[in-house]
Amino acid sequence: MGKQMTEMLKGTLEGIVLAFLTGNPAYGYEITTWLRSQGFTEIAEGTVYALLVRIEKNGLVDVEKRPSEKGPPRKVYSLNADGEKYLEEFWTTWGFLAERLENLRTEGK
Amino acid sequence: MGKQMTEMLKGTLEGIVLAFLTGNPAYGYEITTWLRSQGFTEIAEGTVYALLVRIEKNGLVDVEKRPSEKGPPRKVYSLNADGEKYLEEFWTTWGFLAERLENLRTEGK
DNA sequence: AGCCACTACTCAGCGCTACTATGTACCGGT
DNA sequence: ACCGGTACATAGTAGCGCTGAGTAGTGGCT
C-alpha cells in the first residue's frame, strides 16, 4: 500500500468501519471484503481484525457469535450507543479537517 | 488534543504543511503560528519541528538559514520539485479518501 | 542589573494505529 | 487426500504526532 495512504488511514479507518456498521451488523471477513470492494484493495485482513478487537475492547460495539454455513463461526459486530456517540465525534473531527484541507487545495492558502 | 484528531493528523499534517509551503517559503515558528490561526490550536511546537526535519531529510524542501531581527537565526523552508510531486500524490490520496468518506457520511453506506 | 516574555530551534521517550507474516480451523468439491 | 474459499487471531515492526524538557537570542520593564 502507498505509504501516504497507510498514514492517512490512521484514525480514519476506524471511522470508516464504524460508519459501515451503522444499522448494518457485520463480521470481520465481510468488512474486509466490503473495504476491498470500495477500493481499499490493499487493506490486510489482520488490520481489520486488530481494529475489531480494539473497538470491542473500547466498548463501541456489541458482539454476537453465529455459526457459519462455511468455515468457522462468525463474530458479528453491531454498533452500540457508545459507538454511535463516538462516530458522531468522528464526523465532527473529520468535518473540521476536511474543510481545512479543501480550503488549502482550492484557495492555495 | 482530542485523540481522534491526533490520529487523523497522521499523514495529513505533513500534507497541510507542504501545501502551506507552496509558493510561500516559511520557517518553523511561522508555520506553527499559522497552524494555530487555522484552528489547529493544540499542535505542539515540537511536532512541527520534527516534521520539518523529516521532510528535509526526505528531500522535499530546500532550506536556507537567515538571521532574525529577534531571536536565533531562522531556517526558511521552501518546497522543491520533489516536494511538489509528493504534494500532488498527497492530494490524489486525500481526494480518494475524502470521496469515500463523504459517500459514507451522506448515503449511509 | 535582573527578570520576563517572545522568538526560534532541538531532542529523547512514549502511545497509538496500520502493516507484515504467519498460524489455526472449518467446509465442500474433485 | 488435497485444495481453495471462508473466518478468525496474533506477535512483531514501522511511522507519526505528542509530551516534556532544554538551549539561545532579543528586547522591554522595573
Side-chain angles (χ1 to χ4, degrees), chain A residues 3 7 27-29 49 68 74-75:
Chain A
K3 199 173 137 294
E7 289 308 321
Y27 53 97
Y29 191 82
Y49 287 111
S68 166
R74 297 164 174 166
K75 285 178 74 178

Side-chain angles (χ1 to χ4, degrees), chain B residues 62-73:
Chain B
D62 294 330
V63 188
E64 193 194 341
K65 210 155 204 167
R66 282 190 217 160
S68 166
E69 311 86 51
K70 11 172 102 176

